[in-house]
Amino acid sequence: MKTILLALSVSLLFWSCGTKPTVAYPTDDNGQVGEQALIVDSTLVLTGDLPVYFDSTDYLLFPIGEIQVSSNAGSKLYLGSGSSRDFSFSTGYLSGSSYTGSLSKIMIQHLDSSNFRPITEQQLKIRSFQFLESIHKKTGQQLVVMTVTDRDTNNDGKLTNDDIESLYISHLSGQNFKKLTLELQELLDWRILIVNKRLYFRTLEDIDKNGEFDKKDKIHHFFIDLTHPDFKVFEYNPLG
């Protein structure tokens, strides 16, 4: 729970500092929000981090991320921030049951197998993932929650923190990989309550379609029953 509270504090700090995602609303012939092809950044190198294992589970998770390549004086290449001699290969960091970084994918490997497979084939930027340790202890379920950028909402050709953040859930095996937040709604925060085995989360809808998220927009409240196999999302109104 400490990790979740830390995540919520970071989320609130993010909003208080005024760094908010934006949405561009060009439309195609069907009246849908348009998207452009993502730009391939030749200064990025794809690399895999060391495996992540959560106690008493059946799978290893291998974070895969892109590292920035920059040239220094002379002929040396520097990768990312921090270094081991001249290079850094870090895609993020693990703290307890949470991994935070900037990931292109997560590869999964069963403990009894040498094969790898992605948690999803979708093109994503995974900002963080967290194993639901308290739910595992209570129910035996092996679930992971991810904060994700899954579309270029500001149409700059990249998946970045300036795009909308969404919430996903999956079994550790990759089964039932599911998006929980609605399209074009920005994730505000989320919380697990072990007492009723539910995941609660809030989103913000750009109700006036001005492309910015502000106090004039609408906050939505949702929950899912973590014991339900299809993770059905229910909206509720605590204001009555």
Side-chain angles (χ1 to χ4, degrees):
M1 289 299 293
K2 290 181 179 179
T3 304
I4 296 174
L5 291 176
L6 176 60
L8 297 183
S9 298
V10 171
S11 176
L12 292 175
L13 177 62
F14 169 85
W15 279 91
S16 65
C17 290
T19 306
K20 303 174 185 178
T22 56
V23 182
Y25 285 106
T27 57
D28 58 25
D29 293 338
N30 297 318
Q32 300 298 315
V33 174
E35 291 185 80
Q36 64 186 57
L38 296 179
I39 298 170
V40 177
D41 189 342
S42 61
T43 68
L44 298 178
V45 173
L46 199 65
T47 188
D49 207 342
L50 294 173
V52 175
Y53 176 70
F54 301 112
D55 188 46
S56 302
T57 62
D58 301 322
Y59 295 90
L60 299 176
L61 300 184
F62 291 78
I64 307 295
E66 294 175 322
I67 295 176
Q68 185 74 42
V69 178
S70 59
S71 51
N72 196 31
S75 60
K76 295 178 181 178
L77 288 177
Y78 286 81
L79 303 172
S81 58
S83 66
S84 174
R85 295 188 178 178
D86 291 338
F87 300 98
S88 171
F89 299 94
S90 176
T91 61
Y93 61 92
L94 180 67
S95 176
S97 59
S98 295
Y99 187 99
T100 302
S102 181
L103 305 177
S104 301
K105 63 180 69 175
I106 300 172
M107 301 301 289
I108 302 171
Q109 184 184 70
H110 193 276
L111 292 178
D112 297 330
S113 174
S114 59
N115 296 324
F116 295 91
R117 56 187 175 81
I119 196 168
T120 178
E121 297 289 351
Q122 293 177 235
Q123 188 173 9
L124 304 172
K125 175 188 174 182
I126 302 173
R127 304 187 188 190
S128 68
F129 64 85
Q130 178 169 318
F131 177 63
L132 301 187
E133 187 174 4
S134 60
I135 293 296
H136 180 235
K137 290 179 178 179
K138 189 76 172 181
T139 69
Q141 292 173 286
Q142 300 180 26
L143 303 176
V144 60
V145 172
M146 291 152 280
T147 59
V148 169
T149 296
D150 59 5
R151 62 186 298 177
D152 174 25
T153 57
N154 64 357
N155 277 1
D156 67 352
K158 299 174 287 185
L159 297 180
T160 70
N161 289 345
D162 294 325
D163 298 310
I164 285 177
E165 183 177 33
S166 301
L167 191 67
Y168 281 73
I169 192 169
S170 172
H171 289 283
L172 210 57
S173 64
Q175 293 181 326
N176 288 8
F177 182 86
K178 181 177 181 178
K179 181 175 182 175
L180 301 179
T181 48
L182 297 180
E183 289 297 321
L184 299 182
Q185 290 190 15
E186 166 71 4
L187 174 68
L188 291 177
D189 46 24
W190 63 277
R191 177 175 298 166
I192 298 294
L193 289 188
I194 190 63
V195 66
N196 57 0
K197 306 179 189 65
R198 288 180 177 179
L199 184 156
Y200 291 86
F201 61 96
R202 297 187 300 169
T203 65
L204 193 62
E205 180 184 4
D206 180 25
I207 199 74
D208 55 7
K209 297 295 186 293
N210 67 350
E212 298 180 354
F213 292 93
D214 50 45
K215 63 183 180 181
K216 297 179 182 179
D217 293 322
K218 182 177 180 180
I219 296 177
H220 295 269
H221 296 75
F222 302 92
F223 75 86
I224 65 168
D225 181 350
L226 293 168
T227 65
H228 201 281
D230 64 357
F231 303 133
K232 184 176 180 180
V233 178
F234 297 90
E235 184 167 7
Y236 69 97
N237 183 4
L239 302 180

